[in-house]
């Protein structure tokens, strides 16, 4: 992914522009949103509702149809075929497996249907636009926070319970994280005792990996790095079985699930991150509507490119800045931002947090 100017990124969170009224009124028919699953918390809680609301704002004459592939790439390909056969005006695609989405992209181009890829990598094919966040920045922010908030003992025995390397953003995230982690390893302050990948970022895979790590190390782990909150939940389940929750901190969450934020408030997880969901959804809908009508993107909306190994110079992209969440700024970044209410945060395990007392 090409480096973006800071000035461009600063525009991201506040971009909630409107399509010209004539353009919005002119578009009719259907737009399909193809999602990989609804078990990933963010998809059901944030992505689908925000994209639905954005369609209502920017293209009130359009019907949004949401299809869930249940983490089955073959099913998603069939859903894309059905969407194209129905005469859809456009597709917003969150791919189950981006490297295998080339056939979806090629068929859509052949049918003259624009595809805006969202959150997950674009995949190697013709994409009209991509909407995401700078993943190297995620790794940098997570790595910096880890370096500044390590336990006092030395060396720190650290387990890396990572995600799925088939996704290009895995490498981007690790590139940023390694900027801080590698010097700690070289100095002897950190020792990596386990490293494993959770395919498809599934919590069950992360739990299994962590269980194996604890067995192999005889529970001698001082901290765990995760790539998102779902895999973090799998790690917590493995730690809970050994009565290590709260004793072994988790670093690096992403997506701002309810459980992830509650873990931050409890001190089990040291910080979290999230994309600005509403701004991303708004951008994706404006881009697919413009493309469906053969028009240029609204001025200023495209602020970068995203390499997909297919488009020369990269896919035109809207890159939104990430939000870093700590116990100190939960009110501003979570409650005031409309992700969760205080009441939601203070239910279940959240009741135990000092924030909720």
């Amino acid at each position: 992914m090409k480096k973006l100017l800071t000035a461009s990124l600063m525009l991201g969170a506040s971009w909630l522009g409107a399509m010209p009224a004539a353009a919005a009124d002119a578009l009719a028919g259907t737009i399909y949103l193809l999602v990989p699953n609804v078990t990933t918390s963010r998809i059901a809680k944030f992505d689908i509702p925000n994209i639905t609301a954005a369609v209502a704002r920017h293209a009130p004459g359009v019907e949004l149809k949401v299809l869930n592939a249940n983490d089955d790439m073959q099913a998603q390909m069939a859903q894309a075929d059905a969407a194209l056969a129905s005469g859809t005006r456009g597709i917003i695609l969150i791919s189950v497996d981006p490297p295998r989405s080339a056939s979806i992209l090629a068929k859509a181009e052949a049918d003259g249907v624009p595809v805006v890829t969202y959150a997950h990598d674009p995949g190697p094919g013709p994409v009209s636009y991509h909407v995401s966040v700078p993943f190297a920045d995620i790794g940098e922010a997570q790595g910096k926070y880890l370096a500044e908030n390590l336990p006092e003992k030395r060396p720190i025995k650290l387990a890396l319970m990572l995600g799925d390397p088939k996704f290009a953003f895995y490498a981007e995230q690790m590139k940023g994280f390694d900027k801080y982690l590698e010097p700690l390893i070289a100095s002897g302050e950190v020792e990596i005792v386990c490293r494993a990948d959770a395919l498809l970022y599934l919590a069950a895979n992360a739990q299994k990996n962590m269980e194996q790590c604890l067995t192999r190390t005889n529970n001698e782990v001082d901290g765990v790095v995760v790539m998102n909150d779902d895999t973090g939940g799998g790690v917590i389940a493995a730690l809970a079985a050994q009565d290590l929750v709260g004793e072994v901190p988790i670093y690096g969450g992403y997506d701002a699930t309810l459980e992830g934020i509650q873990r931050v408030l409890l001190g089990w997880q040291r910080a979290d991150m999230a994309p600005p969901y509403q701004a991303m959804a708004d951008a994706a809908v404006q881009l697919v509507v413009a493309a469906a009508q053969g028009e240029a993107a609204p001025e200023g909306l495209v602020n970068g490119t995203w390499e997909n190994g297919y488009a020369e110079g990269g896919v035109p992209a809207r890159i939104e800045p990430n939000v870093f969440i700590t116990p100190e700024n939960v009110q501003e970044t979570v409650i005031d931002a409309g992700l969760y209410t205080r009441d939601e945060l203070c239910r279940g395990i959240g009741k135990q947090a000092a924030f909720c007392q």
Side-chain angles (χ1 to χ4, degrees):
M1 184 179 66
K2 292 187 175 179
K3 186 173 179 65
L4 298 168
L5 293 176
T6 302
S8 296
L9 288 176
M10 292 301 292
L11 295 172
S14 62
W15 182 277
L16 291 174
M19 296 289 292
D25 292 342
L27 188 65
T30 61
I31 290 175
Y32 277 76
L33 170 60
L34 305 185
V35 302
N37 60 59
V38 291
T39 53
T40 298
S41 300
R42 63 166 285 176
I43 293 174
K45 173 67 177 177
F46 300 120
D47 295 316
I48 294 174
N50 279 306
I51 290 172
T52 300
V55 169
R57 280 196 302 275
H58 297 298
V62 167
E63 177 186 6
L64 179 69
K65 293 188 176 182
V66 181
L67 299 180
N68 167 27
N70 290 312
D71 287 320
D72 184 334
M73 191 62 206
Q74 292 296 329
Q76 190 167 69
M77 290 176 180
Q79 290 170 348
D81 288 344
L84 294 171
S86 75
T88 184
R89 301 298 304 276
I91 293 173
I92 298 174
L93 173 64
I94 310 176
S95 179
V96 172
D97 188 349
R100 297 172 59 198
S101 62
S103 65
I104 293 175
L105 304 175
K107 289 177 182 179
E109 182 184 49
D111 286 358
V113 174
V115 176
V116 172
T117 50
Y118 184 91
H120 291 183
D121 307 330
V127 176
S128 296
Y129 299 102
H130 182 61
V131 177
S132 191
V133 294
F135 279 92
D137 288 7
I138 297 174
E140 283 206 31
Q142 293 170 338
K144 184 174 186 292
Y145 193 83
L146 169 71
E148 294 173 349
N149 292 276
L150 285 171
E152 292 184 2
K153 66 159 286 188
R154 293 293 185 275
I156 305 301
K157 295 182 178 180
L158 197 64
L160 303 183
M161 297 290 106
L162 307 176
D164 192 333
K166 293 198 306 293
F167 291 76
F169 52 65
Y170 174 106
E172 287 292 327
Q173 192 170 347
M174 286 308 298
K175 187 186 304 179
F177 189 78
D178 283 342
K179 176 179 176 181
Y180 291 89
L181 182 60
E182 288 177 352
L184 294 171
I185 295 171
S187 69
E189 293 181 81
V190 168
E191 176 189 353
I192 304 302
V193 294
C194 301
R195 177 171 180 152
D197 295 323
L199 296 183
L200 295 178
Y201 290 83
L202 294 179
N205 292 337
Q207 180 177 346
K208 180 179 178 181
N209 292 341
M210 192 66 212
E211 289 169 348
Q212 293 174 344
C213 176
L214 292 172
T215 298
R216 186 161 61 250
T217 62
N218 195 29
N219 290 352
E220 293 294 322
V221 177
D222 301 316
V224 185
V225 171
V226 300
M227 279 187 152
N228 70 9
D229 287 353
D230 286 336
T231 55
V235 168
I236 284 289
L239 293 175
Q242 302 297 321
D243 295 322
L244 293 173
V245 173
E247 298 295 321
V248 178
I250 292 178
Y251 298 88
Y254 193 81
D255 288 340
T257 67
L258 177 59
E259 294 79 9
I261 301 302
Q262 289 174 324
R263 293 195 296 263
V264 169
L265 292 175
L266 289 164
W268 301 352
Q269 179 171 318
R270 306 296 168 82
D272 205 341
M273 293 184 76
Y277 290 109
Q278 185 180 357
M280 281 182 64
D282 204 79
V285 169
Q286 291 191 67
L287 290 169
V288 77
V289 168
Q293 299 189 111
E295 299 174 351
E299 185 178 355
L301 188 53
V302 172
N303 65 351
T305 59
W306 193 285
E307 297 296 339
N308 73 335
Y310 180 89
E312 184 176 353
V315 177
R318 177 66 188 182
I319 312 297
E320 294 286 353
N322 293 289
V323 178
F324 200 81
I325 302 167
T326 67
E328 294 74 25
N329 70 9
V330 162
Q331 180 68 45
E332 173 190 354
T333 60
V334 176
I335 298 175
D336 293 348
L339 298 185
Y340 304 103
T341 65
R342 184 185 181 89
D343 181 62
E344 287 175 312
L345 292 174
C346 294
R347 296 175 191 165
I349 62 171
K351 290 179 182 179
Q352 307 169 42
F355 178 84
C356 298
Q357 300 305 310

